[in-house]
Amino acid sequence: MEIIIQTTPEAASKVAARIVARVLREKPEAVLGLPTGNTPLPLYRELIRLHRAGQADFRRVTTFNLDEYVGLAPEHPRSFYHFMWENFFRHLNIKRGKVHLPDGLAKDIPAHCDRYEKEIRAMGGIDLQILGIGADGHIAFNEPTSSLASRTRIKTLTPETRRDHAREFGGLNRVPHHAITMGIGTILEARECLLLAFGGRKARAIAGAVEGPVSSMNPASALQLHPVVRVCVDRAAAKGLKRAAYYRWVYENKPGWQVE
Ligand code: PGA
């Protein structure tokens, strides 16, 4: 794991955007795995800026989002489909047909999840999986005790996760109980992973993910099993890391030949 600690979310997101831009330069037809939430917003803003500056071309890019609420139509203002188009896709030259999100209204959810996995495989797999993390360590909607081998499936959200989203839904009783989410096994098959976390509320989850034991109680800790993971955090999210000084030194003294 490479742990990149920056002072602010904006600075960490600029590093993350450079990583995405590097992947797109190396492979213009790259397949990106994408998260929703507050965390990726400064990254998406920076990628839109790079795109406008001619430094990030999405014309041949394919995307697969991590998750979607069960029961929400794409046009629902709180659906992840809506979030992605509003905050990211509509500002890019991405092709609508190359964008994939789980369908929150799928009639046969197991069959839909199976098809989602097949679509990822048919595109040659995910080149770069971008991830946020929940305060409880969840990645995508893989809540604590999710199987570390899990595939795309329906998950029941924890009370904590539902509470975290209550404000945006205008009340806890409006927050869905279920989501379709890529599994941890699905995420671990991506060629590279990029985990973002900002703010003190994420510090414990990040410490567990990076330095704790691999455990389904902190699903993000499964990333320790992946060969290419970069973790971009701000100072507040890094404050539980015991070896922060070492990670800082490693990043600042990176040999020139090593890719970002
Ligand atoms: P957040 O959510 O980016 O809104 O904090 C992250 C997550 O729950 O995965």
Side-chain angles (χ1 to χ4, degrees), residues 20-96:
V20 179
R22 185 256 303 155
V23 168
L24 299 188
R25 260 196 323 277
E26 285 172 0
K27 188 173 179 186
E29 70 286 12
V31 179
L32 302 179
L34 298 177
T36 48
N38 291 317
T39 306
L41 285 174
L43 166 64
Y44 291 161
R45 279 196 292 272
E46 178 63 8
L47 285 171
I48 292 164
R49 192 188 70 74
L50 289 180
H51 171 65
R52 289 189 178 139
Q55 291 166 38
D57 184 6
F58 290 82
R59 194 171 49 90
R60 295 166 63 191
V61 167
T62 297
T63 64
F64 287 91
N65 261 82
L66 285 166
D67 41 18
E68 180 61 283
Y69 290 112
V70 169
L72 298 197
E75 55 275 12
H76 189 287
R78 298 274 77 83
S79 76
F80 289 155
Y81 180 98
H82 188 264
F83 175 99
M84 289 306 297
W85 279 97
E86 274 309 298
N87 292 297
F88 197 37
F89 297 144
R90 75 183 175 92
H91 307 282
L92 307 172
N93 61 343
I94 198 157
K95 298 260 166 46
R96 194 167 275 271

Side-chain angles (χ1 to χ4, degrees), residues 12-13 15 17 42 55 76 83 99 116-118 121 142 147 150 188 211 217 224 227 247:
S13 299
V15 174
Q55 291 166 38
H76 189 287
F83 175 99
V99 165
Y116 204 65
E117 291 271 341
K118 287 199 174 101
R121 269 199 296 279
N142 294 287
S147 161
S150 51
L188 291 179
E211 296 176 339
M217 285 302 283
Q224 293 175 30
Y247 310 138

Side-chain angles (χ1 to χ4, degrees), residues 26-259:
E26 285 172 0
K27 188 173 179 186
E29 70 286 12
V31 179
L32 302 179
L34 298 177
T36 48
N38 291 317
T39 306
L41 285 174
L43 166 64
Y44 291 161
R45 279 196 292 272
E46 178 63 8
L47 285 171
I48 292 164
R49 192 188 70 74
L50 289 180
H51 171 65
R52 289 189 178 139
Q55 291 166 38
D57 184 6
F58 290 82
R59 194 171 49 90
R60 295 166 63 191
V61 167
T62 297
T63 64
F64 287 91
N65 261 82
L66 285 166
D67 41 18
E68 180 61 283
Y69 290 112
V70 169
L72 298 197
E75 55 275 12
H76 189 287
R78 298 274 77 83
S79 76
F80 289 155
Y81 180 98
H82 188 264
F83 175 99
M84 289 306 297
W85 279 97
E86 274 309 298
N87 292 297
F88 197 37
F89 297 144
R90 75 183 175 92
H91 307 282
L92 307 172
N93 61 343
I94 198 157
K95 298 260 166 46
R96 194 167 275 271
K98 290 183 181 286
V99 165
H100 303 81
L101 285 99
D103 178 2
L105 296 182
K107 290 270 174 302
D108 183 342
I109 291 177
H112 177 66
C113 293
D114 196 39
R115 204 162 48 243
Y116 204 65
E117 291 271 341
K118 287 199 174 101
E119 281 171 347
I120 293 171
R121 269 199 296 279
M123 292 311 301
I126 292 171
D127 292 296
L128 176 65
Q129 177 65 65
I130 305 166
L131 298 157
I133 186 170
D136 59 3
H138 71 218
I139 44 174
F141 271 134
N142 294 287
E143 299 284 27
T145 72
S146 285
S147 161
L148 302 187
S150 51
R151 312 301 309 189
T152 303
R153 71 212 182 291
I154 188 168
K155 272 304 281 185
T156 308
L157 305 182
T158 60
E160 295 77 21
T161 296
R162 290 188 64 248
R163 265 201 303 277
D164 281 349
H165 292 276
R167 201 150 56 108
E168 73 214 41
F169 275 90
L172 184 59
N173 57 351
R174 297 202 181 138
V175 183
H177 280 273
H178 297 96
I180 295 173
T181 178
M182 272 190 211
I184 298 173
T186 321
I187 291 167
L188 291 179
E189 280 174 9
R191 289 185 189 88
E192 288 183 40
C193 294
L194 175 58
L195 175 65
L196 308 174
F198 309 132
R201 219 171 62 81
K202 303 291 175 72
R204 204 155 57 97
I206 282 294
V210 173
E211 296 176 339
V214 174
S215 162
S216 64
M217 285 302 283
N218 181 330
S221 66
L223 294 170
Q224 293 175 30
L225 300 169
H226 191 286
V228 190
V229 178
R230 293 183 181 83
V231 182
C232 285
V233 289
D234 69 349
R235 203 163 35 196
K239 76 171 188 274
L241 292 171
K242 291 193 182 73
R243 311 204 66 188
Y246 170 68
Y247 310 138
R248 283 201 173 90
W249 196 93
V250 170
Y251 186 65
E252 278 154 24
N253 294 280
K254 213 163 145 152
W257 51 263
Q258 215 175 17
V259 295

